[in-house]
Amino acid sequence: MKRVGIIGGGASGLIAAIQAARKGAAVTLFEKQKKIGRKLLATGNGRCNITNTDIDVSHYHGHNPRFVNNVFARFGLQDTIDFFRGIGLPLVEGEEGKLYPASLQASSVLDVLEYETRKLGVTISLHRRVDAIRTRGDHLLLETAGRERHEFERVILSAGSCAYSPLGASRSGYELAESLGHGVHEPFPAILPITIPLRILHRLQGIKWEVGIEVLLNGKTKSRSGGEILFTAYGISGPAALDVSRAANELVLQHQQPVIVIDLFPGMTEEDLRERLEILWTDGDKGAAFSLQGTLPRRMPQVLLEMAGIQADRKSGALTPAERGAVLKILKRLTIQPGRPRDFSEAVAAAGGIDVNEINGATMESKIKPGVYITGEVLDIDGESGGYNLQFAWSTGAIAGASQC
Ligand SMILES: Cc1cc2nc3c(=O)[nH]c(=O)nc-3n(C[C@H](O)[C@H](O)[C@H](O)COP(=O)(O)OP(=O)(O)OC[C@H]3O[C@@H](n4cnc5c(N)ncnc54)[C@H](O)[C@@H]3O)c2cc1C
């Protein structure tokens, strides 16, 4: 019976443990925290967006995103749905193709995974941080922080990324892989709020608004989304801002100068909006900001007009054609520059990670260190928001586990 040691009791480590145990392996799973699946419990705002009906390479990023094609060909969406149904967790579809547990509770996902691992006889070793992977003859030794040594024929590294440190995420997985000779693309935070250094914008703190949002570099669109954004004390948050944050962060870290363009009226053409403004300005005695009061949330007209270089109390009737054009422009193309990325502690995912060209996509085995398998977010693949990161974790974990026969 093959002995398999798994490093990390998160999404991909747990599914790997189940699949390996089903193949008859004697599995020991090491988790450095005092509980398994802490991040899993926080997913999807506590509902766990397990996957998405539209699993496709276009939702993934990294130096070689096509790697996911190999992975999903072996364990894809339907396999994931069947796997969870098989362990007592039917999925239901929510908005935008997102799939959730029918209970709408992340805790039930962890409960069924944990039940299954225990039923299959997986040994779960909590509070055991693996600090080193060593070789002894044909075998692999896992050394924990407490200097315990455990010997295995195979090891699955499922240690996750360094995103969202409040739940215990760290660089541990990258360091272990580097110690084996793997290359790691420097991780950077993805799916998180965006800092906008422009201070006047911070006066909009607390306002939520439906927008179209784009990240552009030299006039070319690098990322685009639509939906709600939330103005904050330091910049912008909300689902649409999180969607484009990866592109903004990557470009800023490359010392490029991207801009973020926000369309505050995505449902209207420029012409329709111009007509609406002209109607609002028919009473020329109204202050320019006051004339927009019924159209935009409080504080916004004042701030936007200031940004357009127009005094808020100017009579709207006195606005020149150029000033009217400037108001229209700021409403349809509010252009701002992103600042340095915020910290990993706020990031839902990490971009970068272990080079996937060094992994066999059919088994998840390392091409550098035979006998070691690597799965989940520690790899240089990050998905968009919407269930894509968990799907990658399930698929890679399941493949690595099923390869232990
Ligand atoms: C707030 C939040 C919400 C999210 N919501 C969603 C969502 O709804 N849908 C979605 O698709 N994705 C979501 N994600 C992303 C998703 O949770 C991750 O992509 C996924 O958990 C990655 O799985 P993993 O197994 O690779 O890593 P993890 O789930 O992070 O598990 C890694 C485990 O390894 C342990 N570990 C690390 N190093 C060691 C070591 N040296 N020794 C022993 N143990 C170690 C860690 O403590 C951790 O328990 C969310 C992330 C966050 C932070």
Side-chain angles (χ1 to χ4, degrees):
M1 185 187 265
K2 225 165 239 155
R3 285 168 300 167
V4 176
I6 299 183
I7 307 172
S12 72
L14 286 167
I15 195 169
I18 292 169
Q19 298 293 67
R22 283 178 178 171
K23 290 283 176 186
V27 182
T28 305
L29 182 148
F30 297 92
E31 169 53 55
K32 73 182 166 99
Q33 304 192 67
K34 63 176 184 231
K35 286 184 182 150
I36 53 169
R38 278 188 76 204
K39 198 183 260 189
L40 199 50
L41 287 177
T43 54
N45 286 325
R47 295 194 301 163
C48 188
N49 177 194
I50 287 190
T51 182
N52 197 292
T53 53
D54 179 29
I55 293 300
D56 180 78
V57 61
S58 59
H59 298 289
Y60 289 90
H61 306 277
H63 287 80
N64 177 14
R66 282 191 315 243
F67 179 78
V68 304
N69 286 331
N70 250 336
V71 169
F72 295 145
R74 283 172 176 81
F75 193 95
L77 173 64
Q78 194 55 48
D79 301 299
T80 307
I81 294 171
D82 293 344
F83 170 83
F84 279 107
R85 194 186 296 123
I87 60 169
L89 194 94
L91 306 188
V92 291
E93 190 171 336
E95 69 290 0
E96 294 161 1
K98 294 177 184 170
L99 296 181
Y100 296 93
S103 63
L104 297 180
Q105 285 182 336
S107 57
S108 43
V109 181
L110 184 56
D111 287 345
V112 293
L113 288 170
E114 185 169 4
Y115 175 84
E116 198 65 16
T117 51
R118 295 205 187 271
K119 189 180 89 181
L120 289 163
V122 172
T123 304
I124 296 182
S125 204
L126 297 173
H127 255 156
R128 293 289 185 285
R129 192 184 72 217
V130 173
D131 273 355
I133 305 172
R134 303 193 194 284
T135 311
R136 181 191 281 164
D138 283 352
H139 290 174
L140 294 156
L141 282 184
L142 294 187
E143 195 173 289
T144 67
R147 299 259 163 262
E148 294 170 4
R149 288 183 161 195
H150 303 263
E151 197 166 324
F152 299 97
E153 277 87 41
R154 303 276 181 82
V155 163
I156 303 178
L157 175 60
S158 311
S161 75
C162 53
Y164 220 77
S165 40
L167 295 180
S170 68
R171 297 186 63 99
S172 178
Y174 308 123
E175 287 163 2
L176 287 168
E178 277 170 337
S179 76
L180 301 174
H182 273 281
V184 172
H185 295 285
E186 184 55 26
F188 64 90
I191 318 186
L192 78 171
I194 303 173
T195 303
I196 308 291
L198 186 67
R199 294 182 70 130
I200 186 170
L201 205 77
H202 305 168
R203 282 166 44 198
L204 298 180
Q205 178 182 1
I207 293 175
K208 288 179 178 173
W209 196 245
E210 290 283 324
V211 302
I213 185 168
E214 276 182 277
V215 174
L216 289 109
L217 183 69
N218 303 326
K220 284 208 178 108
T221 302
K222 296 290 178 181
S223 180
R224 174 185 283 144
S225 184
E228 191 176 87
I229 62 166
L230 167 68
F231 291 93
T232 68
Y234 53 79
I236 50 173
S237 184
L242 302 194
D243 281 349
V244 298
S245 60
R246 183 198 198 277
N249 287 348
E250 185 172 36
L251 293 167
V252 169
L253 289 170
Q254 290 168 352
H255 306 289
Q256 312 227 43
Q257 295 202 315
V259 291
I260 292 176
V261 177
I262 298 175
D263 180 353
L264 292 163
F265 289 89
M268 293 179 90
T269 64
E270 204 164 308
E271 214 29 61
D272 290 343
L273 186 60
R274 189 194 311 277
E275 274 173 30
R276 179 187 281 190
L277 291 174
E278 291 304 335
I279 293 166
L280 293 172
W281 289 330
T282 43
D283 179 354
D285 277 342
K286 275 189 183 164
F290 186 72
S291 67
L292 297 174
Q293 208 64 48
T295 303
L296 286 163
R298 209 174 257 280
R299 284 184 278 139
M300 236 192 200
Q302 178 114 15
V303 168
L304 294 175
L305 286 171
E306 275 184 44
M307 287 176 74
I310 297 164
Q311 271 187 319
D313 57 358
R314 279 278 301 285
K315 292 224 158 115
S316 55
L319 294 176
T320 64
E323 287 170 328
R324 289 171 183 234
V327 175
L328 183 64
K329 185 169 168 213
I330 207 155
L331 296 180
K332 281 301 276 180
R333 295 183 63 76
L334 169 60
T335 303
I336 47 186
Q337 273 190 319
R340 302 264 322 153
R342 298 182 70 73
D343 194 73
F344 272 114
S345 61
E346 292 178 70
V348 166
I354 300 165
D355 191 342
V356 291
N357 295 322
E358 299 169 352
I359 306 293
N360 177 348
T363 59
M364 304 313 296
E365 187 171 13
S366 162
K367 294 178 186 169
I368 307 278
K369 183 78 181 165
V372 173
Y373 295 70
I374 306 184
T375 70
E377 208 183 297
V378 72
L379 292 167
D380 176 29
I381 292 288
D382 58 293
E384 292 169 0
S385 178
Y388 299 103
N389 284 304
L390 277 175
Q391 179 62 66
F392 186 68
W394 307 131
S395 296
T396 50
I399 293 169
S403 304
Q404 309 308 316
C405 43

